[in-house]
């Protein structure tokens, strides 16, 4: 590996800091491993919270568990991969200049594999009866075409909200905040509490894909891909056109 020596610095100067750029493993492979591991544990914990949920807690238990899981994993792995754990986040972050094009597909593949592994872990942990009753934490709330418009809009709007928090809190230089793990976690919690009875509040195709694979439940599954991806595009457009700083914004500079 090459070593970069800062300007006005001599290799004979003991106090001089010599910078060694990250190797191929840290640049290419390690971020994908972080996305796989982070998504795996997020989906695992999220699915278990649904499968083991009791009626008296309603949406509160899944909301808190999903939100806290996101916050913890984002805080742990932000410096490794950026802590996306969500395909629409990856797309929006790329569109706003926070990720190289060559890493988009590896991130998406890692997240989807993580979703399946997390769902498999939840099946291994919970009882067969509870797992079956909860359909493996798959999104089963949509049962008729009459629900589609509201559910699709809910997924678009709520994903746009949480993606906007990610972009402004972690990508846009002017508004970056060290509180972004807390902010994203809180956004997930309030979205689930607000829209859980409308669409189930997925916001993440990897979270929907894993349980769908494990239970072979695909009814209206497309909603949990189209809605979140459209929502992430809305958020990216808002940042790129209106809310971003001079570097991120592409118009009215």
């Amino acid at each position: 590996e090459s070593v970069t020596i800062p300007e006005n610095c001599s290799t004979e100067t003991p106090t001089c800091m010599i910078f060694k750029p990250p190797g191929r493993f840290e640049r290419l492979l390690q971020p994908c491993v972080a996305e796989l591991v982070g998504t795996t544990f997020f989906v695992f914990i999220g699915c278990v919270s649904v499968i083991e949920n009791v009626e008296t807690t309603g949406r509160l238990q899944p909301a808190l568990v999903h939100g806290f899981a996101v916050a913890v994993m984002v805080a742990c792995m932000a410096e490794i991969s950026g802590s996306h754990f969500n395909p629409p986040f990856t797309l929006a972050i790329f569109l706003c200049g926070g990720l190289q094009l060559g890493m988009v597909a590896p991130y998406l593949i890692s997240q989807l594999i993580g979703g399946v592994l997390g769902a498999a872990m939840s099946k291994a942990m919970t009882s067969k009866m509870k797992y079956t009753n909860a359909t493996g934490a798959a999104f089963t709330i949509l049962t008729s075409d009459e629900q589609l418009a509201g559910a699709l809009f809910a997924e678009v709007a709520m994903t746009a909200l949480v993606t906007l928090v990610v972009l402004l809190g972690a990508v846009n230089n002017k508004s970056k905040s060290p509180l972004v793990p807390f902010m994203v976690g809180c956004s997930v919690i309030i979205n689930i509490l607000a829209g859980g009875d409308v669409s189930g509040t997925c916001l993440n195709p990897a979270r929907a894909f894993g349980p769908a694979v494990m239970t072979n439940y695909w009814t209206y599954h497309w909603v949990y891909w189209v809605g979140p991806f459209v929502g992430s595009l809305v958020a990216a457009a808002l940042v790129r056109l209106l809310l971003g700083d001079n570097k991120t914004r592409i118009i009215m500079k």
Side-chain angles (χ1 to χ4, degrees), residues 52-134:
E52 295 292 335
N53 191 25
V54 293
E55 294 183 5
T56 54
T57 61
R59 293 195 301 274
L60 183 60
Q61 178 176 316
L64 292 176
V65 171
H66 281 84
F68 288 148
V70 167
V72 169
M73 298 310 296
V74 168
C76 287
M77 298 191 181
E79 299 303 319
I80 301 176
S81 70
S83 297
H84 299 187
F85 313 140
N86 187 339
F89 285 0
T90 295
L91 175 62
I93 290 169
F94 161 69
L95 292 175
C96 290
L99 185 69
Q100 295 180 349
L101 175 61
M103 294 301 291
V104 173
Y107 267 42
L108 299 183
I109 293 170
S110 299
Q111 292 156 1
L112 293 178
I113 294 174
V116 175
L117 292 176
M121 288 170 61
S122 72
K123 182 176 183 179
M125 175 177 169
T126 55
S127 69
K128 184 176 181 180
M129 182 183 70
K130 288 185 176 181
Y131 185 85
T132 302
N133 290 341

Side-chain angles (χ1 to χ4, degrees), residues 174-187:
K174 185 177 181 180
S175 53
K176 277 185 178 180
S177 171
L179 295 176
V180 69
F182 170 78
M183 294 156 55
V184 175
C186 285
S187 300

Side-chain angles (χ1 to χ4, degrees), residues 1 9 227:
E1 298 285 351
C9 181

